[in-house]
C-alpha cells in the first residue's frame, strides 16, 4: 500500500475550484501528534479547539466544524474513530462526538508503516502541504500543528503531483520590473533582487497555472499577507485590505491599511495583468471578510 499516494488522493468535496482543506489539516495534525506520541489517541473534546483554530486560520472563509473531517477522514483508510461503545464514528454531530468520548487516530496499518519507515511521515506531510497550501505557508503551518520535518530526504516525487515551472519566478519578476506590485519595494544586493517573490494568485495547489496572468511580484511581507487573505486584488486591479486585519502601529497602517484602494504597480506595457478568473478565485477562496474602504 502506497501511503503517500493515499495521502495525495484524499477524497474531498470539490466544486469549481473551491478549497476544502479540512481532511489535509486533520491528517497533518494527526501526523504531528503521532510524532510526539505514537500510541496516543486524540479525544475529540480535547482537540476540537485546536482543529477549529486550524480550520479558521488555514481554511476558506466559510467556516465549518472540525467534526466533519474527524468523522469523514475514516473513509480514506488513514484514520479510525472509536467511542465508549466501541469502533466506529457516531457521525458529524458535535454533541454526539463529545458525549460518546469519541477518539481518533491514524489507522493501525498506517501507524505500523510509520514505525517501520520513519521517513514516511515526512513524505506524507510534504505531499499534503504541496497539494493544498502555497509554499509561503508551509513552515508556518508545520509550526501551527507542531510538526517537525527534515529539510531533505523527502523521497521521490509522487505521480499525483504536478511539476512547477521553474521559469515562473523570473517571468513574473521581469513583468513587474523587479518591484513589489503592492508597495514598490525593489531591493537588491548588487544585481540580485532580495525579498522579492513570484506569488500565485490562484494557488498552484488548486490548478493555478505557472504563467504571468496568474502571478504578482510581491515583497516577502505582502506575499505572506496575500496568501493569508489579509490582502487581495479587486476590480480595476486595485488592492483590497481585509476589514478583519487589526494593526495599531504606524508600520501596520503604512504597510498594510494604507494600501486599500491603491492600484497595483505594473505589469509593464505589453504584459497582460492578472486574469479576472484568477482574481475572483483568490477573492472567494483566500481573502478574509470584506474589504476596507479606500
Amino acid at each position: 500500500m502506497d501511503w503517500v499516494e493515499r495521502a495525495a488522493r484524499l477524497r474531498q468535496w470539490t466544486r469549481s475550484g473551491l478549497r476544502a482543506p479540512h481532511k489535509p489539516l486533520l491528517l497533518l495534525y494527526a501526523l504531528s501528534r503521532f510524532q510526539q506520541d505514537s500510541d496516543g489517541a486524540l479525544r475529540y473534546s480535547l482537540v476540537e479547539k485546536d482543529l477549529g483554530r486550524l480550520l479558521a486560520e488555514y481554511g476558506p472563509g466559510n467556516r465549518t466544524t472540525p467534526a466533519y473531517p474527524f468523522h469523514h477522514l475514516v473513509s480514506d483508510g488513514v484514520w479510525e474513530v472509536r467511542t465508549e461503545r466501541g469502533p466506529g464514528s457516531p457521525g458529524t454531530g458535535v454533541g454526539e462526538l463529545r458525549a460518546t468520548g469519541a477518539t481518533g487516530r491514524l489507522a493501525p496499518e498506517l501507524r505500523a508503516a510509520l514505525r517501520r519507515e520513519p521517513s514516511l511521515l515526512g513524505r506524507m506531510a510534504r505531499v499534503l502541504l504541496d497539494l493544498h497550501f502555497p509554499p509561503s505557508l508551509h513552515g508556518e503551518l508545520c509550526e501551527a500543528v507542531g510538526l517537525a520535518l527534515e529539510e531533505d530526504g523527502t523521497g521521490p516525487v509522487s505521480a499525483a503531483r504536478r511539476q512547477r515551472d521553474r521559469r515562473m519566478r523570473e517571468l513574473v519578476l521581469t513583468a513587474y520590473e523587479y518591484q513589489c506590485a503592492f508597495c514598490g519595494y525593489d531591493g537588491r544586493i548588487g544585481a540580485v533582487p532580495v525579498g522579492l517573490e513570484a506569488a500565485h494568485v490562484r494557488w498552484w495547489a488548486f490548478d493555478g497555472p505557472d504563467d504571468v496572468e496568474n502571478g504578482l511580484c510581491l515583497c516577502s511581507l505582502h506575499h505572506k499577507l496575500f496568501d493569508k487573505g489579509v490582502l487581495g486584488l479587486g476590480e480595476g486591479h486595485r488592492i483590497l485590505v481585509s476589514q478583519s486585519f487589526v494593526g495599531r502601529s504606524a508600520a501596520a497602517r503604512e504597510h498594510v491599511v494604507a494600501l486599500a484602494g491603491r492600484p497595483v504597480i505594473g505589469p509593464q506595457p505589453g504584459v497582460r495583468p492578472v486574469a479576472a478568473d484568477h482574481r475572483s478565485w483568490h477573492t472567494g477562496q483566500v481573502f478574509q471578510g470584506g474589504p476596507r474602504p479606500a
Side-chain angles (χ1 to χ4, degrees), residues 12-20 62 202 206 281 285:
Q12 300 173 82
W13 179 87
T14 57
R15 187 182 69 190
S16 303
L18 300 184
R19 295 175 59 218
N62 52 321
R202 183 186 182 105
F206 288 84
W281 183 89
Q285 295 301 305

Side-chain angles (χ1 to χ4, degrees), residues 178-194:
Y178 294 87
Q179 61 179 335
C180 176
F182 285 179
C183 69
Y185 168 83
D186 61 354
R188 296 171 179 261
I189 293 180
V192 179
V194 290

Side-chain angles (χ1 to χ4, degrees), residues 280-291:
S280 297
W281 183 89
H282 186 277
T283 302
Q285 295 301 305
V286 181
F287 187 69
Q288 298 288 324

Side-chain angles (χ1 to χ4, degrees), residues 213-231:
E213 289 183 56
N214 187 41
L216 284 171
C217 176
L218 296 177
C219 66
S220 300
L221 171 65
H222 291 135
H223 187 180
K224 187 64 167 285
L225 296 178
F226 189 67
D227 282 347
K228 291 282 284 186
V230 173
L231 300 176

Side-chain angles (χ1 to χ4, degrees), residues 101-121:
T103 61
R105 62 178 177 174
L106 300 176
E109 298 88 351
L110 175 54
R111 298 200 307 271
L114 289 168
R115 291 188 182 102
R116 287 193 307 270
E117 188 181 358
S119 65
L120 173 61
L121 189 148

Side-chain angles (χ1 to χ4, degrees), residues 171-279:
L171 290 172
V172 170
L173 267 59
T174 299
Y176 285 83
E177 301 182 279
Y178 294 87
Q179 61 179 335
C180 176
F182 285 179
C183 69
Y185 168 83
D186 61 354
R188 296 171 179 261
I189 293 180
V192 179
V194 290
L196 288 172
E197 301 166 357
H200 283 74
V201 178
R202 183 186 182 105
W203 291 357
W204 183 89
F206 288 84
D207 297 322
D210 284 329
D211 60 40
V212 174
E213 289 183 56
N214 187 41
L216 284 171
C217 176
L218 296 177
C219 66
S220 300
L221 171 65
H222 291 135
H223 187 180
K224 187 64 167 285
L225 296 178
F226 189 67
D227 282 347
K228 291 282 284 186
V230 173
L231 300 176
L233 198 56
E235 295 295 329
H237 293 85
R238 291 185 176 272
I239 301 168
L240 304 177
V241 178
S242 172
Q243 287 183 326
S244 301
F245 175 78
V246 176
R248 297 182 176 86
S249 67
R253 292 195 299 271
E254 178 184 354
H255 297 301
V256 183
V257 177
L259 296 177
R262 285 188 190 175
V264 167
I265 301 169
Q268 61 179 290
V271 177
R272 291 179 181 272
V274 175
D277 57 337
H278 300 323
R279 284 194 291 107

